[in-house]
């Protein structure tokens, strides 16, 4: 019996709940790229992001019975699992300790221009300065300024009120201003 090329959301959920491996393969093939994108925007190390993606799909497989279609779409539910897993990893002590042991990048050369010895944002790179922000702020700045999402798109993707997104981005920008002065 051939499986259809596409499933409706309700068909997919029912097949996943009945533990269909073909449906799970379909889910992975069609949604892993989008979920990886949100994970990688939070955890920039590709290997770690891939590990989290695998954990996310394992969680989806285990928790599919807890999905409630009345509360939102399947993709939104999976996106929240992925985002939360990435943020949890970012906050974990083992991850933070691992970052402390990373070698200093070769592109962090400090050049002396016009007699100034203090590094500027351009010398160390804006991403390095942004890495000093809280995880939640870093994600919002990345989505807004590096990936080009609008505040409304971020609010939908992160399942946050629009006002909260705007306030947190503003707070992050204020903190960035103090970091680069």
């Amino acid at each position: 019996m051939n499986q259809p090329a596409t499933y409706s959301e309700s068909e997919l959920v029912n097949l996943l709940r009945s533990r269909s491996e073909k449906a799970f393969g379909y889910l992975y093939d069609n949604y892993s790229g989008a979920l990886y994108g949100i994970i990688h925007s939070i955890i920039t190390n590709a290997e770690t992001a891939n590990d989290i993606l695998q954990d996310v799909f394992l969680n989806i497989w285990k928790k599919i019975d807890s999905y409630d279609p009345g509360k939102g779409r399947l993709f939104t539910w999976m996106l929240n699992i992925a985002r939360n897993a990435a943020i949890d990893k970012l906050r974990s002590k083992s991850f933070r300790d691992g970052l402390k042991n990373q070698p200093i990048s070769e592109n962090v050369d400090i050049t002396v221009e016009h007699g100034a010895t203090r590094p500027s944002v351009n010398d160390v790179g804006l991403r390095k300065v942004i890495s000093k922000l809280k995880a939640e702020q870093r994600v919002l700045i990345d989505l807004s300024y590096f990936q080009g999402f609008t505040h409304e798109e971020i609010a939908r993707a992160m399942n946050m009120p629009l006002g909260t997104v705007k306030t947190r981005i503003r707070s992050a920008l204020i903190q960035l201003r103090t970091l680069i002065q």
Side-chain angles (χ1 to χ4, degrees):
M1 182 173 149
N2 291 335
Q3 291 293 325
T6 60
Y7 298 104
S8 72
E9 186 170 296
S10 61
E11 288 173 330
L12 184 58
V13 169
N14 288 334
L15 287 168
L16 290 170
R17 285 182 174 160
S18 66
R19 302 296 182 217
S20 165
E21 290 182 19
K22 286 185 180 183
F24 187 72
Y26 173 87
L27 184 79
Y28 187 88
D29 291 344
N30 288 281
Y31 293 96
S32 61
L35 296 180
Y36 178 81
I38 191 67
I39 292 167
H40 195 259
S41 73
I42 298 168
I43 303 290
T44 56
N45 177 283
E47 184 178 333
T48 304
N50 277 318
D51 290 345
I52 293 169
L53 181 66
Q54 298 310 311
D55 291 342
V56 164
F57 273 95
L58 186 59
N59 263 337
I60 290 167
W61 180 255
K62 289 179 180 177
K63 297 179 180 180
I64 190 65
D65 289 328
S66 70
Y67 167 66
D68 180 359
K71 291 184 178 178
R73 298 189 52 113
L74 178 63
F75 178 70
T76 305
W77 179 75
M78 294 188 311
L79 187 68
N80 283 327
I81 291 173
R83 180 181 60 87
N84 291 341
I87 290 172
D88 287 347
K89 181 67 172 179
L90 197 61
R91 290 178 177 164
S92 73
K93 184 172 177 17
S94 63
F95 183 76
R96 287 180 295 169
D97 288 346
L99 290 177
K100 292 177 186 174
N101 296 324
Q102 295 297 316
I104 295 176
S105 175
E106 293 176 13
N107 65 354
V108 185
D109 295 330
I110 298 174
T111 58
V112 178
E113 291 183 27
H114 308 292
T117 58
R118 184 174 176 211
S120 72
V121 174
N122 293 329
D123 294 333
V124 295
L126 187 55
R127 289 230 187 238
K128 296 285 184 195
V129 176
I130 289 172
S131 71
K132 295 178 183 177
L133 295 173
K134 293 180 196 172
E136 297 87 4
Q137 292 175 325
R138 233 184 354 259
V139 170
L140 294 174
I141 293 295
D142 182 67
L143 289 172
S144 181
Y145 291 95
F146 293 108
Q147 296 188 36
F149 284 81
T150 66
H151 291 170
E152 293 82 7
E153 291 169 331
I154 294 169
R156 278 193 304 273
M158 303 291 279
N159 199 22
M160 291 178 163
L162 178 59
T164 302
V165 169
K166 289 181 177 185
T167 300
R168 288 185 181 171
I169 289 175
R170 179 169 164 40
S171 173
L173 292 174
I174 290 168
Q175 187 174 353
L176 278 173
R177 192 174 301 133
T178 64
L179 289 171
I180 61 174
Q181 289 181 351

